[in-house]
Amino acid sequence: MKALFDSEWPILWYEDIDSTNEEARRRAKSGDWQHCWIGAAKQSMGRGRRGRVWQSPVGNLFTTAYFPWEGSAELASKICFSAGLAVIDAAENVGCDTSAMALKWPNDVRVNQRKLCGILIETGQLSSDDLWIAAGIGVNVAMAPEADQLTTCLHALGAPATLDARAFLSVLAMTFQSRVSQLQEKGFSHVRIDWLEKSEGLGQEVVVTVGNDNVRGVMRDMDEAGALILDTAQGQKIITAGDVQLVKKD
Ligand code: BTN
């Protein structure tokens, strides 16, 4: 597989856009093969996982890494884990205290159960052999938006008040490069070890919403395929997609 990062990816910055992932999709539709970062100060139609809206106020970072992928679809499905790690690496590089930063499966970045970052990976076919990938990353830089869950932001975690969304993107572009290179060159087993070190909820009771069902159990592991392993009352279950919630202890 060709290395992805043989040259710097241009950063295309928008003051206002519908969604950086939508812009990536438009580029893919027009057959664009140019790797790039699409970044925006504001989104009017930011989208999250499972059809949710991603609040996109000025001050936070909304960005999508858009690139063709000639590797396997299986390896591409692991980019979400590398992206979560890249956000923690970038937060560390700008001076945040990352000791309490954790990854909620598959890739929310949280601090003491407050959401700092959400990731939405979208893919499609660019040619018969190649995929396009849009790795959409929303990071709360200056504001912790009110949402259906608690949130936090980099400025509350030790990042300098002068750090703005665009500056954070230039750091993230570097850490993302190194995490995706790790995936390409060393394979998912290495990413998995790093991910497990930062994972939230291992050994704890969780409820995973899978479609219309809730599966309750103890989170045991993430396997070599990136699936979550749960010990449930009915035995071990392997979850490949879903929303995890920690069960609160009284
Ligand atoms: C989630 O639900 O946690 C994922 C949120 C992903 C939000 C980012 S912001 C940049 C990119 N553009 C979008 O419309 N969504 C992603």
Side-chain angles (χ1 to χ4, degrees):
M1 192 190 347
K2 203 170 79 201
L4 268 175
F5 298 97
D6 48 4
S7 64
E8 253 182 38
W9 296 8
I11 294 180
L12 313 173
W13 187 260
Y14 293 79
E15 282 313 309
D16 200 348
I17 200 166
D18 49 357
S19 149
T20 54
N21 268 36
E22 193 54 35
E23 176 59 22
R25 195 171 274 276
R26 284 190 283 268
R27 283 169 188 266
K29 238 179 155 180
S30 70
D32 191 340
W33 285 78
Q34 172 68 55
H35 308 86
C36 63
W37 283 93
I38 303 159
K42 199 165 128 197
Q43 295 184 126
S44 55
M45 290 174 67
R47 54 177 183 255
R49 289 175 69 228
R50 307 184 164 267
R52 288 187 283 249
V53 169
W54 184 256
Q55 288 186 52
S56 305
V58 173
N60 291 344
L61 173 63
F62 317 105
T63 189
T64 299
Y66 170 70
F67 49 102
W69 177 262
E70 64 171 29
S72 68
E74 201 209 325
L75 199 61
S77 71
K78 310 299 186 310
I79 288 171
C80 63
F81 303 106
S82 300
L85 286 164
V87 171
I88 297 185
D89 294 342
E92 184 157 16
N93 284 358
V94 299
C96 290
D97 176 4
T98 56
S99 53
M101 264 179 212
L103 293 162
K104 182 165 81 78
W105 188 84
N107 53 20
D108 280 0
V109 183
R110 306 213 304 173
V111 182
N112 298 323
Q113 299 184 25
R114 290 173 175 268
K115 187 154 168 168
L116 172 68
C117 160
I119 294 169
L120 175 67
I121 311 276
E122 297 179 315
T123 60
Q125 213 67 40
L126 201 50
S127 71
S128 53
D129 292 333
D130 299 281
L131 295 173
W132 59 265
I133 295 183
I137 305 176
V139 184
N140 299 334
V141 176
M143 292 183 47
E146 275 188 28
D148 55 355
Q149 57 181 301
L150 296 172
T151 61
T152 187
C153 66
L154 293 176
H155 285 179
L157 298 166
T162 49
L163 178 84
D164 64 15
R166 215 177 154 152
F168 189 68
L169 173 54
S170 39
V171 179
L172 179 62
M174 289 188 291
T175 58
F176 184 84
Q177 160 170 353
S178 110
R179 285 294 179 177
V180 177
S181 299
Q182 175 193 34
L183 177 68
Q184 275 195 308
E185 287 157 22
K186 299 193 169 154
F188 182 58
S189 55
H190 286 250
V191 176
R192 175 175 168 267
I193 290 167
D194 292 350
W195 190 93
L196 284 169
E197 242 174 55
K198 292 304 285 178
S199 71
E200 181 183 292
L202 266 192
Q204 289 180 40
E205 187 149 38
V206 296
V207 173
V208 189
T209 307
V210 184
N212 292 326
D213 294 332
N214 282 337
V215 187
R216 192 179 177 121
V218 174
M219 197 173 134
R220 269 299 151 235
D221 202 355
M222 175 173 77
D223 70 13
E224 286 287 348
L228 200 63
I229 309 218
L230 281 194
D231 285 342
T232 75
Q234 293 76 38
Q236 205 159 73
K237 291 226 158 98
I238 296 176
I239 313 269
T240 55
D243 255 352
V244 175
Q245 279 189 39
L246 298 187
V247 173
K248 285 201 185 92
K249 290 188 200 109
D250 297 324

